Amino acid sequence: MSQADDKTLSKSQRAYHYIKERIARQEFTPGYRLVLGSIAGELDMSVVPVREAIRQLEAEGLVTFERNVGAHVSMVDDSQYRFSMQALSVMEAAAIALAARHLSADDISRARAVNERMTAGLVDFEPHTFTALNREFHSILFAQCANPRMLELVNAEWARLGHLRYSTFTFVPGRAQESVQEHENLLLLIEAEAPLYEIEKAARHHRSATLDAFLIHEHPDEALRLLSF
Amino acid sequence: MSQADDKTLSKSQRAYHYIKERIARQEFTPGYRLVLGSIAGELDMSVVPVREAIRQLEAEGLVTFERNVGAHVSMVDDSQYRFSMQALSVMEAAAIALAARHLSADDISRARAVNERMTAGLVDFEPHTFTALNREFHSILFAQCANPRMLELVNAEWARLGHLRYSTFTFVPGRAQESVQEHENLLLLIEAEAPLYEIEKAARHHRSATLDAFLIHEHPDEALRLLSF
DNA sequence: CGCAGCACCATGATATACGATTTCGGATAC
DNA sequence: GTATCCGAAATCGTATATCATGGTGCTGCG
């Protein structure tokens, strides 16, 4: 139950984590009506902290709120996933480029280790762990980004994607193989201290390709034109 | 007083706008202690709506909040401004590139009209209106961005910059001249249907140059290495 | 003279109560 | 049979009251 019942947290925060988690595990599905009173009852608190929690979730875009009506879990259609993914491709690539010169040899080898575990995982493919490793790999790369604001935005967008759905790999397992290869290429570029624009280009392409794979899988007809610079 | 006293808004929202506005006009300066009770008193409401308002502002990063202690207006040092600006340079450039093919001839001429008013404003330079026009110009360009998520992020970042300080032009008036010229160049590229990466490059460069101007003005020593692809 | 401990005060956190708004269903009229 | 209106129930919105927490200043002891 994670931190939803941590006694050191304020009740608002407990409610916040509680609702967020139930949304994450799809117990509150998109469109679900969130009734303050009921949730307060479940958590054995009054509605005031629940209201605050929902306001926070609203700010994050997880729920929509209408005055005197109530809160619903946000509707997320495929397009939102695509758009988020594309935004991430742009921001993350820039973040990785900004981080490239700050990555130590140790960072690189840690990233490579993760990528090797991903390679190993290709045989008996398990989308969930693969996705987790993928995120870890990417995190290592942009973690050293010298621009904390950008880091914040990238992390926020990753989190958002996490809420939208599990991952592309669940839907397009074939993409995993390529993905691992592109990871290694990216590492090589960074090690070679390739020009930053090359690194950014590679990183953006890597993510765009993931998105393309997803699009081709779900919407073979309406391909979204991507930036490829 | 704008919308801070609109009777149709909920009290939380009134409080929200009220506080935000006072921060914007520097009446609540960074570090200022926001006391719930006092604000509630000023607005003639109880503390509950004020709490919610502050939670929202916290989510936006305008105020920091510490449990059982209270809220302060966020400290914003120069670096935050730079980081935000850089993030914006990356996102907005991508957004403009994505919008480029969707801009009508009318959009272009509106943008050009704005830019001409900026040119006219160069003679008796007035940072505030110039900044407003600048924002309008940029808005026209990325408004047609096909990716609404990216649009959201770009707008949010513009708003954030607005809170941090008035604008670069206040500090580096000399930048205005170049800026206007770069605007025209950008318009020409879009009209010519230049490759998207060219447009993105130009847009990013335009913003980076603004940031550079600011940096050179404030921190001649520690130049932040920017992405130039 | 300085530091530690305690008590009081300011402020935030939450609960409970009441008022306001909306929504939905049923009844009535056409 | 259908449309419209009215009312009750559900739910949100806010205020007031009480409890918990953290800060600050005073006092007493070393």
Side-chain angles (χ1 to χ4, degrees), chain B residues 34-36 51 65 68-69:
Chain B
L34 296 169
V35 180
L36 301 192
R51 276 178 61 80
F65 198 83
N68 290 321
V69 174

Side-chain angles (χ1 to χ4, degrees), chain B residues 66-81:
Chain B
E66 207 179 337
R67 174 153 183 211
N68 290 321
V69 174
H72 293 81
V73 177
S74 293
M75 293 298 200
V76 283
D77 46 287
D78 291 338
S79 57
Q80 293 216 24
Y81 182 77

